[in-house]
Amino acid sequence: MAALLLLFLFLFASSALSQDSLIGVNIGTEVTDMPSPTQVVTLLKSQNINHVRLYDADRSMLLAFAHTGIQLIISVPNDQLLGISQSNATAANWVTRNVAAYYPATNITAIAVGSEVLTSLPNAAPVLVSALKYIQAALVTANLDRQIKVSTPHASTIILDSFPPSQAFFNKTWDPVIVPLLEFLQSTGSPLMLNVYPYFDYVLSNGVIPLDYALFQPLQANKEAVDANTLLHYTNVFDAIVDAAYFAMSYLNFTNIPIVVTESGWPSKGDGQEHDATVENANTYNSNLIQHVINKTGTPKHPGTAVATYIYELYNEDTRPGPLSEKNWGLFHTNGTPVYTLRLAGAGAILANDTTNQTFCVAKEKVDKKMLQAALDWACGPGKVDCSDLMQGEACYEPDDVVAHSSYAFNAYYQKMGKASGSCDFKGVATVTTTDPSRGTCVFPGSAKSNRTVGHNTTALAPSANSTTSGCFLHPQASFVNLTFLSLLLLIALVFL
C-alpha cells in the first residue's frame, strides 16, 4: 500500500523501531479535502497518538509536528530512489533538507527508504541497498545515526511458502538484494519493515482461510493451525506471516533482526465482490490487532515479544484508484469523526477515537432473529435494563420488531454499564456506533437529547463472545481454521488425519 503518514498512540514512551508494544496508524493523503497539517496534529493529539509514519518528508507536516513529541518515520519516495542511490552528495542533501533541518524539534526516529520496492518497482531493486547505505552514511556524517534508523518496507509476498512458517523462505529471485539488505539491517541495528495484510491473504485464499482466523477471533484449541515441524499453534494469520518472516531470515542465518509491521488493517467498505470489507470486520480486526500488540502477546515463535505495528490508516482516501475497498481503510473521516469506534479495553487511554463521546450500542443488521430475541430477553431480564419504554403505547414501541427493540435494550445496558469493554457484544449480535439511534419521541439512553442519568450498576455482565454462562444464549462455534496460504491444504490434511 502507498500512503503518507503512520501514526498512533502509546501508553509507554518507546522508540518507533523498538520491540515495545507500539501501535501506529498510516495516514494517506489521497483525499478530496485533506485536513491541514495543523488539523492532522490536533486530531493525533486528541487521540493520544504518539507515533506517526510519513510516506514522504513534506515540509509543512514536519513543521507541524515540531515540539509535539510525536515520533515520526519519514520516507524517501520511490521516485527519488535512483538519484539517492547513485550519489552520496544527493543522499547527504536529502538528509540535510529533510532531517537535520527539523531535528530534534521534530522527533524523527526512522527513515523508510522506498515502499514495497521489490514487488511494486522491481526495476529499482538493484539500487535499493545502495540508497539505504547512502542515507545511513549521511546520518553518520550528521551525527544522527544513533537516533535515527534506516530501513525499507516490504510486502509480505516476498516470502514464499508462508505456511508452515518454519519452512518459509524469501523469494530467491531477490537473494542478491535480500542478503545485503539483511546484512545492512543487522550491522545498523535496524528492523525489517514488513506490510502484513491478512485481508488480502483471506480474499486470495478463495475460502481456504476462514474469516475468524484472519480476524483474530477466538478459536477452539483443536481448531488452531499447527506447524508440524515446530508444533507451534497459530490462532491468526498475522502471527503466521510475522513468524514466516522470522524463519525466512533464520534460513539465511540472520536471527537477531526485529520486525516492525509498517502497515496492517482491514477495509470497512467494498464493492459487490468484496463481501467481507465491512465496518464490523474492520472494527473486529483492528480492535483485536491493537489488543494483541499492546498486550505484548508476541507470536508463537517469539511469545511475549511485542511486534511494533502501524495501522493502515488514519483517514479514508476517497480519490485512491482501484476497487471501493481501496478508499475505505481509514479509522476516521477527514472531518475528524470516526468511521467506527474501536472496541478496546480502556479505550479512552489507548485510542480515544470517539471524538464526540456519543457512542451507542445497537443490534447488527442481518443477524439471526432468534439470537436477537434471546439477547433482548436477557437484557430486559437478568441484565436489569428498564425496558418499559418498549411496552405497547410507549415512546419506543414502534417499530414493533426485534431489531429496533433489541437496539434500545442493548444500548440501555451499554450506557448503564458505563460503556465498559464487552458490554456491547451480546454473543456477537450487537455493535458500537457513533450515530444516535434515537427516533422521534423515542430517545435512547446516552443521547444528548436525553436528560436521563446513566447508572454504573455492574452487578450483571452482558454475555460476551467469550462468556461460558449465558442463560438463553448459544455458545459461538469457532469455525475450522486453516493456515495462511493455499500451500497449507496439504499440511491440514496431515495434521488432522
Side-chain angles (χ1 to χ4, degrees), residues 358 360 436-440 442-444 446-452:
Q358 292 285 303
F360 306 87
D436 188 342
S438 300
R439 54 188 184 273
C442 177
V443 179
F444 275 49
S447 171
K449 303 173 185 177
S450 173
N451 294 321
R452 186 173 306 183

Side-chain angles (χ1 to χ4, degrees), residues 195-211:
N195 296 341
V196 178
Y197 284 102
Y199 171 75
F200 292 123
D201 297 318
Y202 164 73
V203 170
L204 294 174
S205 76
N206 293 318
V208 172
I209 297 175
L211 182 61

Side-chain angles (χ1 to χ4, degrees), residues 199-254:
Y199 171 75
F200 292 123
D201 297 318
Y202 164 73
V203 170
L204 294 174
S205 76
N206 293 318
V208 172
I209 297 175
L211 182 61
D212 283 352
Y213 187 50
L215 293 174
F216 291 90
Q217 294 288 61
L219 301 169
Q220 297 174 0
N222 65 342
K223 300 300 184 182
E224 296 173 359
V226 180
D227 185 326
N229 299 316
T230 62
L231 300 183
L232 294 175
H233 288 236
Y234 287 87
T235 61
N236 61 81
V237 175
F238 181 90
D239 283 352
I241 296 174
V242 172
D243 271 1
Y246 278 124
F247 278 110
M249 287 193 288
S250 65
Y251 179 79
L252 296 175
N253 297 316
F254 296 93

